[in-house]
Amino acid sequence: MLIPKNSLRVGASVGALLLATMVPAFAQEAEAVAEAVETVAAGSGVSEETAYVFNTFLFLVCGFLVMWMAAGFCMLEAGLVRSRNAATICLKNISLYSVAGLMFWLIGYNLMYGVEEGGYLGTFSMWSAGGDPSAADGYAAGSDWFFQMVFCATTASIVSGTLAERIKLWPFLIFTAVLTGIIYPIQGSWEWGAGWLDAEFGFSDFAGSTLVHSTGGWAALMGAIVLGARSGKYTVDGKSNAMPGSSLPLATLGTFILWLGWFGFNGGSQLALGSVVDANDISNIFINTNIAAAAGVVSAMVLTQILYGKVDLTMALNGAIGGLVSITAEPLAPSIPLAAAIGAVGGILVVIFVPLLDRLRIDDVVGAISAHLVCGIWGTMVVPLSNGDATFYGQGVGVVAIGAFVSIVSLVLWLVLKFTIGIRVSAEAERGGLDQSELGLVAYPEFVK
Amino acid sequence: MLIPKNSLRVGASVGALLLATMVPAFAQEAEAVAEAVETVAAGSGVSEETAYVFNTFLFLVCGFLVMWMAAGFCMLEAGLVRSRNAATICLKNISLYSVAGLMFWLIGYNLMYGVEEGGYLGTFSMWSAGGDPSAADGYAAGSDWFFQMVFCATTASIVSGTLAERIKLWPFLIFTAVLTGIIYPIQGSWEWGAGWLDAEFGFSDFAGSTLVHSTGGWAALMGAIVLGARSGKYTVDGKSNAMPGSSLPLATLGTFILWLGWFGFNGGSQLALGSVVDANDISNIFINTNIAAAAGVVSAMVLTQILYGKVDLTMALNGAIGGLVSITAEPLAPSIPLAAAIGAVGGILVVIFVPLLDRLRIDDVVGAISAHLVCGIWGTMVVPLSNGDATFYGQGVGVVAIGAFVSIVSLVLWLVLKFTIGIRVSAEAERGGLDQSELGLVAYPEFVK
Amino acid sequence: MLIPKNSLRVGASVGALLLATMVPAFAQEAEAVAEAVETVAAGSGVSEETAYVFNTFLFLVCGFLVMWMAAGFCMLEAGLVRSRNAATICLKNISLYSVAGLMFWLIGYNLMYGVEEGGYLGTFSMWSAGGDPSAADGYAAGSDWFFQMVFCATTASIVSGTLAERIKLWPFLIFTAVLTGIIYPIQGSWEWGAGWLDAEFGFSDFAGSTLVHSTGGWAALMGAIVLGARSGKYTVDGKSNAMPGSSLPLATLGTFILWLGWFGFNGGSQLALGSVVDANDISNIFINTNIAAAAGVVSAMVLTQILYGKVDLTMALNGAIGGLVSITAEPLAPSIPLAAAIGAVGGILVVIFVPLLDRLRIDDVVGAISAHLVCGIWGTMVVPLSNGDATFYGQGVGVVAIGAFVSIVSLVLWLVLKFTIGIRVSAEAERGGLDQSELGLVAYPEFVK
C-alpha cells in the first residue's frame, strides 16, 4: 500500500478539521489530547537523529580541540627547556601522543569503559572498529572513542614536561605506553566507566581535574622523585639554580593553545549538544572555563608582583593552566564569581607550589606538578561548593584512591625501568643536551651562543 | 490520558485515509488545507529548538576562533618586537585577554547591551550568570556573551602592539581595563546595542571594522602620541631607523592565526546558523573574508615590489590584516570581485600609511594603526557600495562619532596615567629591554648575540 | 483559510482517536499504514533543511581546519630551512595561499567542477558569487566552494618546501598560479568533477592522496629536477651534506598543525554531516586518520632507531605526514588495524625515500616528495584492500594518468620559466640567503651566530 508522505499529512489534517467541526461533543477529551500532543511535540523539538548528529559533531569538534592541546604541551615544554633539549622534548610530545592513541585503542578503551557498574576495571580485549553505529546512546560510538582517546593522550602530555632534560626517550615511551594503556584507563573506569567511585561514593569529576590532570601529575611526581633533579639544579646548601627556558614566546603560544583546547576539554565533557539544555550548559562551561583561566593569570601576576616586585611570565602562564585545571572538575555548576574565585586560587597555588617543590628538591622543569596535580586536587575538592550531588567525603575518597593507585603503580614502574634499562641519560649527555645524545641533532643549529 | 506517540501518528493517518475515501465532497477544501500544511511544514524545516542549538554552537565555535586571535596578536607582536621585549609583549597579550574577559563580565556587557533603543549607554550593573536559558532570542544567552567577550578582547589586543617596547606593564593593563570595561562597551552600545547610531543613522558595521578595529586603532594612536616614539627610532633630521622584529616566522604564524580566527569573527557575526539562509550567508562571508585577505596580501606585495624593488614580508602580513579589517564592516553583501577590490585597497593603504606615520613620527611598532584604524575607516565607508541600507552619511557619522569618543576618552586617560603613575619605562630600561626591567628575565636567554 | 499549526496537529489526533475507537473494523489496514508512516517518520529524522545546515557547517568547519594547514606547511618549512631563508619561505607560504584562492576563484573552480560526466576538463568561465542558494545538493554552494578552494591551496603548499632556499619568489608564484588555476583543477575534474577517471575506471581517491598530495609532489619533483640542488648539498663523490633546519620546534608545530588540519581534510571529504550514517562515517574517518598518523610516527621512529641507532625527529615528523597522506585516499573503509598498517608503511616509506632521493641528487629541502608523492601513490594503490568498488587496475590508471599529466605540464612550465625569466637566484644570493637577496631583510636579525 503506497501512501505519499504529503497526502498522509494533508489527509490527517482534513480528517481532523472535519471531525473537529462534526463532533463538538468530544471537545473536552480533545483538550486532554491536545496537551499530550503538545508535550510530544515539545520533546521532539530536536529529533533523535538530529540530536545524534549534534552530539557526534560536538565530540568531533571538541575532540580536535583537545588533540590540539598536544601541540600546546609541546610548545609550552619546548619553550621552557633549554635549547639543547628542545628537539628531544618535541619528539617526546609527538611520539607520546602517537603511543597514547595506539595503546588506548589496543587495550585502554575496553579496560576503561568495559567495566561493570561499581566495578574496579574493565576487560582486556581489543577494541573493535567503530562500535555499533545505531547505538541507542545518541551519538556515534566512534566520536566518543575519539574524544576519550585525546583525553588519555592529555594525561601523558603532563608527564613529559616535568621529566624533561634528563630522561631517556625510550624508557619514557614505555612508561607512556603503560600509563595510557593501563594506569589511566583503570582509574578512569572507577568514575567515568561508572565503576565503584561513581557508584558508591558519588565522586564527581566533570572533565578530569583528578582523572586526567592529577593522574598525570602523580605520574610525573613519582618520575621526578625516581629520576632525580637535573645536575646543577640544586646546590648543596639547598639553593635552586634557575635554568631559564629557551623561548618564552613558544611557551606563551603553548599556553594559548592549551587555553583554546580547554574549551573542547570542558565543553565536550557535557557529552551532548542536541538539546536546548545542553546548548545552554556548554555555553556556561565556556564562560566559566575562560573566566577561571583569566582569574588564574591575574592572581598569579598580582601575587608575584607582591612577592617578588616583578611579574613573572612563566608564573602567569602556569596561572592560566592552574586556573583551567581548577575549574575542570566542575565547570558547569559554579556561578561566574565562584568560577573566577576557583581559578584565582589555582593561580595562587601555582605561585606557592613551584618554589615549594624546589625547596623539596623535586625538579619539575615546567611546573606541571603544581599546575596539574595541586590545582587538580583543589578543583576536585571544591566541587561540593556548587554541585549538591558531590560531598567533600566522596571527593576526598576519589582524590586519595586515584592518587594512591596512580602513585604506587607509577612508582613501581619507574623503579623497574630504572633498575632494568635505566631511565636517565649520562651526566655527560645531560651536559651536552639530549638533542645531541638521544637524537644526534640540534634544535636550533644556528642560534645558540 | 496516556497516548503513545506512535499510536497518535498512526491513528491520525488512519483517520485521514478513512475520511479521504469516505467524504470526497470535501476535496476542494482539502486542497486549501493541503497548501496551509505545506507552508507550515516548509517553515518548520529547522525546528525552533534545532535552530537554537545551531545558533548557540555557531557562537561557541566562532567564539573559540576569535579567542584564538589573542594568540595571533601575541605571536605577531612577539615576532615584530626586538627580542629584549618579547617576553613582556607575551605577558601583555595573555594578561590583556584575561583583563578584558574579567572587565567585560564585571561591567562591560551590561553597559553595551543594557542600552535602550536609540540610547547612549547601558546600565552599570554586574552581569548575572548565563542569562535566561529559555530566551526567545533563539540561542543560549551564554554563548552570545562568550562571543561578545572575545570581540571586546580583540579590541584590546590591537593596542598592545603599537605601544610595545616602551610602555610599562601595569599602566597598560589599567588602560586595558578601562578600554574593555567602559570605552569599548559604550561605543559598542551605540550600534550593536541598538543605540542611537543604529536607530537614527542606520550606521552599519557588520562585524566591527569601526566598533572593534578602529576603536582599538584610535586608542593605540592616542597612546602612541602621548607615549612618544622609541628612543632612537627617529633621527633629528626626520629619518626613521628600522628596528627589525626578532622573529618573522612567529609574526607570520600570528598572521595565519588571525586569518583563521577571522572566519569566526566575520562568520559568527551573522549571529545565527539555524536556517538555510543563515548557512548560505555564512558561507559567502567565509569566501569574502578569505578573498579580501588574499587580495590584501597580493596588492601589498605588488606595491612594495613596485615602490621598493623588493617585497617586504611584514607588509604582506599587514596586507592580509588590512584586507581582513577592510571587509569586516560588510563581509556579506559584496560580490566576490568587490570583496577582492575592498581587500586589495586595504593592502595598499597599509603600504602607504606605515611610512606615512613614520614621517609623522608616530611610532607604531607593528603597524596596527595602519592596518586596523585606517583600513577600519575604509571598510566602514565602503559599505554603501554593496549594502543598500547604509548611506555614506550614516557611515561617516559613525566613523566620526566613535572616532571622536574613543580618541578623546583615550587621550584623557593616557594623559592622566602619564602624569600620575607614569606610562613609560626609563631610557635605561628601554635600552636594556623591558623583559629585563619589567619582568627580570629574558625571552631567549641562549640565542641573542 | 488560516489554520493555526497546533490546532491542525491536535485536530488530527482527535480525529485519529475517534476513528480508532469508532471503526475497529479497519484495524488491519491501519497496521499497514502504521508501517508506512513509521518508515516516513524514520527517514525524516533529520529534516532536509536541518541536514542542509549540518552539511554546510561541516564544510565551513573542515574548511577552516584545512585553511589552517597553510600555516602548518609554513611553520614546517620555516623550521626546516636555514634561518637565512626563513622569511622568504614564510612569504612564499602566505602568498601561495593567497594566489591559490584567487586563481581557484578566477578560473579553477569552473575548470574543475564544470566538467561533463566522463569529460576531460570543465569550462573556462569565471565563477559567480555564492552559487544557487537553494541548491538541491543539500548544502550551501559557497561552503563547498570554500572547502574545495582550501584543497587547491594545499596542493600548492606542498611545492614550496621542496624548492626552498634557491628558487626566486615571483617565478615560484607564477608556477603556483598555473598549478592552482589550471593544472590542479584539470586533473581534479577527472575524478572529483566526475570526469573520465571516475566514470570509466572507477578510480577512487576519497580525500586526495593522488589528487592533492601526489599532484603537489609531482609538481615539486619536476621543479627540483629543473631547479637543481642547493649549492654544496651534494659533493662530487656523491655524498650528501646535511643542511639542518633552523628551528625544529617550529617544524614540530607545523606538523601538529597539519595533523589537526587533516581531520578537516579527510573528515570534510565525507561531504555531508546531516544524517546518522554521515556522523558515523566521519567519526570513523577521524579515528583512522589519527591512527594512521600515529602509526607513521612510531614506524618511522623504530626504523630510524634500527637503521641509525638514533631516532631522527624530522623523520618522525615526516612519518606523521606520510601516515596521514597514506590514509587519505581511503580513510573510511579500512578497519582500524588496517589503517594503522597503512600509516605505518607510510612512515617506513618516508624513512626509505628521503635518503634515496638524496642518492639520486634530487634535493628536497623538507622531504615533501617522499611524504606526499610516494605515500600518496601508496595510499591510492592500497584502496582496493578495503573498498570493494576500487580495483588495482583503476587505481593504477589514475595514479599514472594524473602523474603523467601533472609531471609533463609542470616540467614544461618549469622549463619555460627557467629559460625566460629564470627561476634560480644567483650563487651569491643563495650563499647569503634569500631573505637578504629577495626581501632585503633578515628573519631572525638578533639570533644568528
Side-chain angles (χ1 to χ4, degrees), chain A residues 114-256:
Chain A
V115 68
E116 281 174 32
E117 206 180 305
Y120 289 82
L121 53 85
T123 59
F124 280 93
S125 57
M126 281 180 50
W127 185 67
S128 57
D132 179 10
S134 58
D137 295 323
Y139 52 80
S143 69
D144 174 55
W145 188 89
F146 180 72
F147 189 68
Q148 302 304 340
M149 181 273 293
V150 290
F151 268 62
C152 177
T154 301
T155 307
S157 292
I158 294 164
V159 182
S160 54
T162 296
L163 309 180
E165 306 207 307
R166 58 214 194 271
I167 195 168
K168 285 183 187 169
L169 174 64
W170 290 106
F172 169 75
L173 288 179
I174 292 171
F175 183 86
T176 298
V178 178
L179 176 67
T180 56
I182 297 175
I183 300 174
Y184 170 80
I186 287 179
Q187 60 88 32
S189 77
W190 300 352
E191 171 65 16
W192 291 345
W196 67 277
L197 267 178
D198 182 59
E200 292 171 40
F201 292 90
F203 180 63
S204 179
D205 189 3
F206 193 91
S209 283
T210 289
L211 270 76
V212 174
H213 295 281
S214 288
T215 291
W218 288 116
L221 176 62
M222 294 302 118
I225 291 170
V226 173
L227 189 61
R230 288 168 289 176
S231 16
K233 177 65 185 171
Y234 303 112
T235 57
V236 281
D237 57 340
K239 273 193 187 156
S240 163
N241 289 316
M243 292 178 164
S246 50
S247 173
L248 296 187
L250 279 194
T252 307
L253 174 65
T255 306
F256 269 117

Side-chain angles (χ1 to χ4, degrees), chain C residues 47-106:
Chain C
S47 78
E48 263 182 41
E49 297 191 16
T50 298
Y52 185 101
V53 176
F54 273 130
N55 298 340
T56 299
F57 200 48
L58 179 78
F59 278 132
L60 297 178
V61 169
C62 291
F64 77 61
L65 285 177
V66 179
M67 176 271 165
W68 183 225
M69 290 173 73
F73 281 105
C74 183
M75 290 300 105
L76 178 68
E77 296 171 14
L80 291 181
V81 301
R82 288 164 296 172
S83 63
R84 73 190 80 153
N85 301 304
T88 305
I89 204 71
C90 286
L91 180 60
K92 281 172 184 160
N93 271 279
I94 200 162
S95 59
L96 75 82
Y97 177 78
S98 303
V99 167
L102 291 164
M103 289 305 297
F104 195 66
W105 160 58
L106 278 172

Side-chain angles (χ1 to χ4, degrees), chain A residues 113-419:
Chain A
Y113 289 101
V115 68
E116 281 174 32
E117 206 180 305
Y120 289 82
L121 53 85
T123 59
F124 280 93
S125 57
M126 281 180 50
W127 185 67
S128 57
D132 179 10
S134 58
D137 295 323
Y139 52 80
S143 69
D144 174 55
W145 188 89
F146 180 72
F147 189 68
Q148 302 304 340
M149 181 273 293
V150 290
F151 268 62
C152 177
T154 301
T155 307
S157 292
I158 294 164
V159 182
S160 54
T162 296
L163 309 180
E165 306 207 307
R166 58 214 194 271
I167 195 168
K168 285 183 187 169
L169 174 64
W170 290 106
F172 169 75
L173 288 179
I174 292 171
F175 183 86
T176 298
V178 178
L179 176 67
T180 56
I182 297 175
I183 300 174
Y184 170 80
I186 287 179
Q187 60 88 32
S189 77
W190 300 352
E191 171 65 16
W192 291 345
W196 67 277
L197 267 178
D198 182 59
E200 292 171 40
F201 292 90
F203 180 63
S204 179
D205 189 3
F206 193 91
S209 283
T210 289
L211 270 76
V212 174
H213 295 281
S214 288
T215 291
W218 288 116
L221 176 62
M222 294 302 118
I225 291 170
V226 173
L227 189 61
R230 288 168 289 176
S231 16
K233 177 65 185 171
Y234 303 112
T235 57
V236 281
D237 57 340
K239 273 193 187 156
S240 163
N241 289 316
M243 292 178 164
S246 50
S247 173
L248 296 187
L250 279 194
T252 307
L253 174 65
T255 306
F256 269 117
I257 294 174
L258 290 174
W259 195 325
L260 170 61
W262 231 288
F263 294 115
F265 201 89
N266 287 357
S269 292
Q270 175 75 7
L271 306 180
L273 170 67
S275 75
V276 166
V277 171
D278 288 315
N280 288 334
D281 284 357
I282 297 171
S283 303
N284 291 333
I285 290 170
F286 268 53
I287 294 175
N288 278 346
T289 299
N290 194 72
I291 213 101
V297 169
V298 171
S299 71
M301 286 177 68
V302 170
L303 188 58
T304 52
Q305 176 75 39
I306 292 170
L307 291 179
Y308 307 113
K310 279 186 202 303
V311 177
D312 185 329
L313 171 59
T314 64
M315 286 297 178
L317 301 180
N318 268 321
I321 298 171
L324 288 162
V325 171
S326 301
I327 201 66
T328 293
E330 184 49 75
L332 175 58
S335 65
I336 297 185
L338 181 58
I342 291 171
V345 172
I348 290 168
L349 287 173
V350 164
V351 175
I352 293 171
F353 271 83
V354 165
L356 195 65
L357 285 172
D358 267 340
R359 225 165 306 147
L360 297 170
R361 304 174 80 89
I362 293 170
D363 185 12
D364 179 353
V365 176
V366 302
I369 295 170
S370 304
H372 295 276
L373 172 54
V374 176
C375 292
I377 294 172
W378 157 247
T380 306
M381 292 311 299
V382 87
V383 170
L385 288 190
S386 60
N387 181 341
D389 294 338
T391 63
F392 291 111
Y393 173 68
Q395 297 303 96
V397 170
V399 166
V400 170
I402 290 176
F405 170 74
V406 174
S407 297
I408 292 168
V409 179
S410 295
L411 183 63
V412 169
L413 183 55
W414 284 124
L415 289 171
V416 167
L417 288 170
K418 178 175 183 172
F419 293 112

Side-chain angles (χ1 to χ4, degrees), chain B residues 9 11-13 15 17-18 40 42 45 82-83 245 248-249 252 273 280 283-284 287 290 297 301 305 310-311 336 447 449, chain C residues 5 16 19 37 41 47 49-50 52-53 56 90 95 97 105 127 130 133 140 143 149 170 437 443-448:
Chain B
R9 285 196 192 149
S13 310
L17 284 168
L18 291 175
V40 169
R82 287 164 296 171
S83 64
L248 297 187
T252 307
L273 169 67
N280 288 334
S283 303
N284 291 334
I287 294 175
N290 194 71
V297 169
M301 285 176 69
Q305 177 73 39
K310 279 187 202 304
V311 177
I336 297 185
F447 293 174
K449 283 183 281 209
Chain C
K5 195 171 156 187
L19 281 163
V37 170
S47 78
E49 297 191 16
T50 298
Y52 185 101
V53 176
T56 299
C90 286
S95 59
Y97 177 78
W105 160 58
W127 186 66
S143 69
M149 181 274 292
W170 290 105
S437 69
Y444 304 100
E446 301 174 57
F447 293 174
V448 178

Side-chain angles (χ1 to χ4, degrees), chain C residues 110-190:
Chain C
N110 282 345
L111 204 46
M112 185 156 172
Y113 290 101
V115 67
E116 281 174 30
E117 206 180 304
Y120 289 81
L121 54 85
T123 58
F124 281 91
S125 56
M126 279 180 50
W127 186 66
S128 58
D132 178 10
S134 59
D137 296 324
Y139 52 81
S143 69
D144 175 55
W145 188 90
F146 180 72
F147 188 68
Q148 302 304 340
M149 181 274 292
V150 289
F151 268 63
C152 177
T154 301
T155 307
S157 292
I158 294 164
V159 182
S160 55
T162 296
L163 309 180
E165 307 208 305
R166 60 214 194 270
I167 196 170
K168 284 183 188 168
L169 174 64
W170 290 105
F172 169 76
L173 289 179
I174 293 171
F175 183 86
T176 298
V178 179
L179 176 66
T180 56
I182 297 175
I183 300 175
Y184 170 81
I186 287 180
Q187 60 88 32
S189 76
W190 300 351

